[in-house]
Amino acid sequence: MNILVTGAGGFLGLNLIKKLLDKGHNVFGLTKKTINFSHNRLHIILSDLFDINKFEGLNIDVVFHTASRINFDESKNSISELTRDNIISTFNLADFVINNKISKFIYSSTCSVYQDNYDKNKLISEEYPLKPRNSYAVSKLASEWILENKFKGIIDDFIILRYSSIYGFHQREGSIVPKFIRNVNNNENLVINGSGSRTQDYVYIDDVVDANLKCLEKKLPFSTVLNIGSGEQISDLMLAEHIKYNWDSNSKINILNKFDRAETHFFYDIKKAKSLINYESVSLKVGLELYKKSMKLS
């Protein structure tokens, strides 16, 4: 198949492209920046999504829309950038898909579209209330709705994947997992600003890529939403302890207890993905071992 991957230079986009090439597909990778990877079946399109309609006639079968601006700054300029790069760009891409009669579209969204949860035992399923917690999450949910409204009655095969916290080698350096790994490698303290009891679901990058590939092979009802995570509830303290153990570090864990507000809990329900696409995930322990192995091989 001929497949377009937006965000080809990003963490998820590039990992997905490599797997698609392994499976024999022709891939068009749209990116605003050059990438240090080449293949005879990879065709790089250096472009902004605002100019996507200049590339009509590529005979694309499937689009994976992984491109996204990730920014948690709530300033006016930041919100303008999120609106441009996440919402308006997605609108343009939807027009491109419709104009070129592309038959399948898989959208990368986020768990942050869900309402904050303070009950440690509450499972967050696809039916959980939607209440984006920041402007980034608003832009992702708005894009979900734009795509659904644009594609309804035109494209049957439209899937939304809501990821929990993705981790793996070469992810964004400011994220908590690479930050803690950098600290243990330098024998520095692992600093937790809260009580250490806040929980999150951490999903390894290979599992997220595999979920996308399984959606490629599966025909699902229009606008199917799937939670993609590990199904494991990990506290900040547990994360720090796992990383210390995997890297055999003597770093100390420093819990600051700075927050005077209730801390959130995220216990992701991934039963629907398991049922519909036979999705599987590794534990945090195994994922960190794979992360460490990737670092050694680089």
Side-chain angles (χ1 to χ4, degrees), residues 48 63 86 122 151 157 271 296:
D48 191 293
V63 172
N86 291 355
K122 181 73 174 178
F151 291 160
D157 211 344
K271 291 194 295 288
K296 288 180 177 178

Side-chain angles (χ1 to χ4, degrees), residues 4 19 26 30 65 70 94-95 105-106 108 127 130 138 142 157 165 179 188 191 193 215 233 246 253 272 275 289 297:
L4 173 65
K19 292 292 185 181
N26 295 310
L30 188 141
H65 185 22
I70 301 174
D95 280 341
F105 192 101
I106 300 168
S108 291
E127 306 306 316
L130 300 173
V138 168
D157 211 344
S165 294
K179 182 179 178 181
E188 297 172 352
V191 178
N193 287 318
C215 286
Q233 192 178 26
N246 271 276
I253 299 172
K272 186 177 176 183
S275 172
E289 289 169 355
L297 292 173

Side-chain angles (χ1 to χ4, degrees), residues 183-199:
N183 287 353
V184 296
N185 279 329
N186 294 329
N187 288 316
E188 297 172 352
N189 288 350
L190 303 181
V191 178
I192 297 172
N193 287 318
S195 68
S197 63
R198 183 193 73 94
T199 59

Side-chain angles (χ1 to χ4, degrees), residues 41-60:
R41 278 185 279 104
L42 173 61
H43 315 279
I44 295 297
I45 302 172
L46 280 173
S47 175
D48 191 293
L49 275 169
F50 274 81
D51 299 320
I52 185 65
N53 285 299
K54 293 194 305 186
F55 301 96
E56 293 189 359
L58 294 178
N59 196 27
I60 301 295

Side-chain angles (χ1 to χ4, degrees), residues 161-176:
L161 303 180
R162 292 178 181 154
Y163 311 131
S164 60
S165 294
I166 307 173
Y167 69 97
F169 189 42
H170 290 314
Q171 75 177 110
R172 288 189 310 126
E173 282 299 314
S175 302
I176 189 170

Side-chain angles (χ1 to χ4, degrees), residues 21-169:
L21 292 168
D22 287 345
K23 289 185 172 291
H25 298 291
N26 295 310
V27 180
F28 295 84
L30 188 141
T31 175
K32 291 191 287 186
K33 58 185 180 182
T34 57
I35 60 175
N36 187 26
F37 177 75
S38 61
H39 190 284
N40 62 350
R41 278 185 279 104
L42 173 61
H43 315 279
I44 295 297
I45 302 172
L46 280 173
S47 175
D48 191 293
L49 275 169
F50 274 81
D51 299 320
I52 185 65
N53 285 299
K54 293 194 305 186
F55 301 96
E56 293 189 359
L58 294 178
N59 196 27
I60 301 295
D61 301 302
V62 180
V63 172
F64 288 93
H65 185 22
T66 76
S68 181
R69 176 176 289 277
I70 301 174
N71 193 337
F72 302 106
D73 177 6
E74 294 295 320
S75 68
K76 182 179 179 180
N77 285 343
S78 174
I79 293 171
S80 295
E81 289 173 347
L82 288 167
T83 302
R84 176 190 185 278
D85 292 345
N86 291 355
I87 298 175
I88 301 174
S89 289
T90 298
F91 190 96
N92 288 349
L93 180 60
D95 280 341
F96 173 82
V97 168
I98 293 167
N99 293 340
N100 287 272
K101 297 180 171 53
I102 296 170
S103 59
K104 191 179 187 82
F105 192 101
I106 300 168
Y107 177 59
S108 291
S109 191
T110 171
C111 64
S112 60
V113 301
Y114 293 117
Q115 177 179 292
D116 279 342
N117 173 59
Y118 301 95
D119 181 354
K120 189 172 184 178
N121 300 309
K122 181 73 174 178
L123 274 171
I124 310 298
S125 73
E126 291 83 355
E127 306 306 316
Y128 194 76
L130 300 173
K131 190 176 181 181
R133 64 191 74 171
N134 50 51
S135 295
Y136 163 69
V138 168
S139 73
K140 297 299 286 185
L141 184 58
S143 295
E144 289 187 19
W145 290 343
I146 285 169
L147 291 167
E148 183 173 7
N149 287 332
K150 294 275 281 182
F151 291 160
K152 191 171 184 180
I154 300 173
I155 294 173
D156 292 334
D157 211 344
F158 166 52
I159 302 167
I160 298 167
L161 303 180
R162 292 178 181 154
Y163 311 131
S164 60
S165 294
I166 307 173
Y167 69 97
F169 189 42

